[in-house]
Amino acid sequence: MRKIKLVILSIMLLLALNLPPVGADSRPLTDQQLGILVGLAVDSHWVRQESASQSLVYGIVTPADQVPVGVSQTDSYLVARDGEALTVVYYRLGSQQQVYVSYPAAGKHHLRTVKFTVRQLRHRFFRTAAQRRQVNALVNKLQTE
């Protein structure tokens, strides 16, 4: 009975401190992993389709790149090499683990900007071992510019 109480108290303490459970993957994400998580949040079908055809490309904006208004020179991006559907997703990690994402709005000539936290993205797409394997498999298929 005492062991059960200790386990319950330990779980309550972890929840109160908002710490990940033992065994959870809490290592920092690579920029490519973050890009895949962002891509999945924006359009998971697009990411999987482009990845399957080996045409999903990862890159980092350089000063020589022509980028739309609102995109920073420090943004990273995912782009479809074949130019199908969603063409490019820009993202950057800001302060307090905020991820700023810009991508073309459907049928519009301007970028839509949304914000996620790394925690939200991890919770939605990188929580289980199977999800982590899937994300890492998608990262391994990324082409680079």
Side-chain angles (χ1 to χ4, degrees):
M1 186 65 155
R2 185 176 175 142
K3 284 185 178 183
I4 293 172
K5 287 181 181 178
L6 286 174
V7 168
I8 292 171
L9 285 173
S10 297
I11 292 171
M12 290 174 60
L13 181 60
L14 285 174
L15 291 173
L17 293 173
N18 207 17
L19 296 174
V22 175
D25 191 352
S26 59
R27 291 174 285 198
L29 296 171
T30 66
D31 197 42
Q32 293 87 349
Q33 286 173 319
L34 183 60
I36 292 295
L37 296 180
V38 164
L40 291 170
V42 169
D43 188 342
S44 62
H45 176 74
W46 175 75
V47 169
R48 288 184 178 100
Q49 180 181 345
E50 298 302 329
S51 180
S53 66
Q54 302 266 329
S55 60
L56 192 61
V57 179
Y58 160 82
I60 299 172
V61 174
T62 65
D65 290 337
Q66 298 270 336
V67 294
V69 173
V71 174
S72 164
Q73 293 296 322
T74 60
D75 282 10
S76 299
Y77 60 88
L78 293 178
V79 65
R81 181 170 284 154
D82 61 12
E84 292 287 321
L86 189 64
T87 54
V88 64
V89 175
Y90 297 97
Y91 63 95
R92 73 179 166 280
L93 183 61
S95 63
Q96 299 178 356
Q97 298 292 295
Q98 299 288 316
V99 183
Y100 299 92
V101 182
S102 299
Y103 59 95
K108 310 264 174 140
H109 295 294
H110 67 278
L111 292 179
R112 178 170 187 226
T113 302
V114 294
K115 181 173 62 171
F116 300 101
T117 64
V118 171
R119 183 177 176 174
Q120 288 170 322
L121 294 169
R122 276 183 176 273
H123 181 74
R124 195 164 159 203
F125 302 108
F126 205 69
R127 185 179 38 188
T128 68
Q131 287 174 320
R132 290 189 298 273
R133 279 192 303 273
Q134 180 186 33
V135 167
N136 289 329
L138 291 169
V139 167
N140 289 334
K141 289 183 178 182
L142 281 175
Q143 307 298 312
T144 56
E145 285 197 319

